[in-house]
Amino acid sequence: MTQARYRDLVEWPLMATALIFLAAYAWQVIGRVEGASAQPFETVLWITWGIFALDYVANLWLADDRKRWFIRNLHELLIVVLPFFRPLRLLRLVTLLSVLHRTVGETLRGRIATYVAGSAAMLVLVGALAVLDVEQNAPDAKIQNFGDAAWWAITTITTVGYGDLYPVTPIGRIVAAALMMSGIAVLGIVTASIASWLVQRIEENAEDVAAAAGEKAAAAEEPVRAEMAVLLAEVRALRQEIAELREKPGQG
């Protein structure tokens, strides 16, 4: 079993686990489920979280160079370990995005527009849930329901920022900063994709023009080549006749 083979095998199961994780978290946050009623959701969250942790361990075990993989993926270790502490549970959503990026991102490689649209929608949803989780019970909170949270997330990720809704807690502001940077990154991907597409189209058109010009030049040269072939044949025939005449006695 290689790491690449393992990733291929767990790609879709991991995405299904991530979606279950998201559904349980969203239900708990939007429904404001607390106390004993929240225990089933917490159980689901911890089970899916355990699957993410096992995925990290499996990737580390199957890596060709474990030390190098460990050092290059320290961020994955942090987002697996830190959310075990209650105040940092929002970092669970970072792992969710990481899993979805690894599965959906590679599945939709080459379909940049679809991937960017899906990533933006997922960022809006995750950002709305994250800010609602920390803001809805805060004193003087402006964001108190999912509708407000979704509207705030959309205006934030698009860098519009009307200012009618904004987080008042420190963690909520951290979420806002992360969402704004994500929005800039998404816009950058869109811009880069459009520029890449334009360059590709220009190169393809240039190649088509060059090929068409080459075909026209070849077509124009064909009659000349045919005439040259006829002339060369006549010259060879004349040379042959001259040689024959020189070989006959009395001719010179």
Side-chain angles (χ1 to χ4, degrees):
M1 175 67 70
T2 62
Q3 188 178 37
R5 176 61 177 162
Y6 167 78
R7 284 176 176 265
D8 289 338
L9 290 175
V10 303
E11 184 175 281
W12 289 106
L14 266 183
M15 189 173 74
T17 303
L19 293 177
I20 293 172
F21 176 91
L22 179 61
Y25 183 80
W27 195 307
Q28 187 179 17
V29 173
I30 297 174
R32 300 190 180 187
V33 182
E34 298 177 353
S37 301
Q39 190 57 44
F41 298 100
E42 286 291 333
T43 301
V44 171
L45 291 177
W46 282 114
I47 290 173
T48 54
W49 191 253
I51 294 173
F52 296 153
L54 287 175
D55 175 64
Y56 173 84
V57 173
N59 274 289
L60 177 60
W61 179 260
L62 294 172
D64 294 331
D65 187 341
R66 293 174 189 168
K67 182 178 180 181
R68 182 180 179 186
W69 191 91
F70 175 79
I71 294 174
R72 295 184 64 180
N73 293 273
L74 282 175
H75 62 285
E76 292 194 15
L77 176 63
L78 291 176
I79 60 180
V80 165
V81 174
L82 289 180
F84 279 99
F85 301 97
R86 181 73 181 180
L88 298 174
R89 72 174 190 158
L90 285 179
L91 288 177
R92 296 175 183 179
L93 295 175
V94 178
T95 297
L96 169 66
L97 290 175
S98 176
V99 170
L100 291 177
H101 171 76
R102 198 177 87 189
T103 54
V104 179
E106 293 188 2
T107 301
L108 297 179
R109 184 174 297 167
R111 307 176 193 177
I112 300 297
T114 304
Y115 176 52
V116 169
S119 298
M122 184 60 64
L123 283 170
V124 167
L125 177 58
V126 168
L129 290 174
V131 80
L132 181 61
D133 190 15
V134 297
E135 291 287 318
Q136 59 186 352
N137 297 318
D140 302 323
K142 304 294 183 182
I143 302 172
Q144 299 182 346
N145 56 64
F146 183 71
D148 290 343
W151 171 249
W152 169 83
I154 292 171
T155 58
T156 301
I157 198 172
T158 55
T159 66
V160 174
Y162 286 110
D164 53 342
L165 298 170
Y166 53 87
V168 297
T169 63
I171 297 179
R173 290 171 181 170
I174 293 173
V175 172
L179 193 58
M180 283 185 279
M181 284 190 252
S182 300
I184 294 172
V186 169
L187 291 176
I189 292 173
V190 172
T191 304
S193 300
I194 293 174
S196 176
W197 177 78
L198 288 175
V199 170
Q200 182 180 359
R201 292 296 299 170
I202 291 172
E203 290 179 350
E204 289 176 354
N205 289 336
E207 290 176 358
D208 291 342
V209 169
E215 291 176 359
K216 288 182 180 179
E221 291 175 359
E222 187 60 33
V224 177
R225 290 178 180 175
E227 187 172 350
M228 288 293 295
V230 172
L231 291 174
L232 288 173
E234 291 180 354
V235 169
R236 283 195 294 269
L238 288 173
R239 287 179 176 176
Q240 184 65 30
E241 290 180 5
I242 292 171
E244 291 175 356
L245 290 173
R246 288 179 176 176
E247 291 177 356
K248 289 180 181 181
Q251 302 291 333

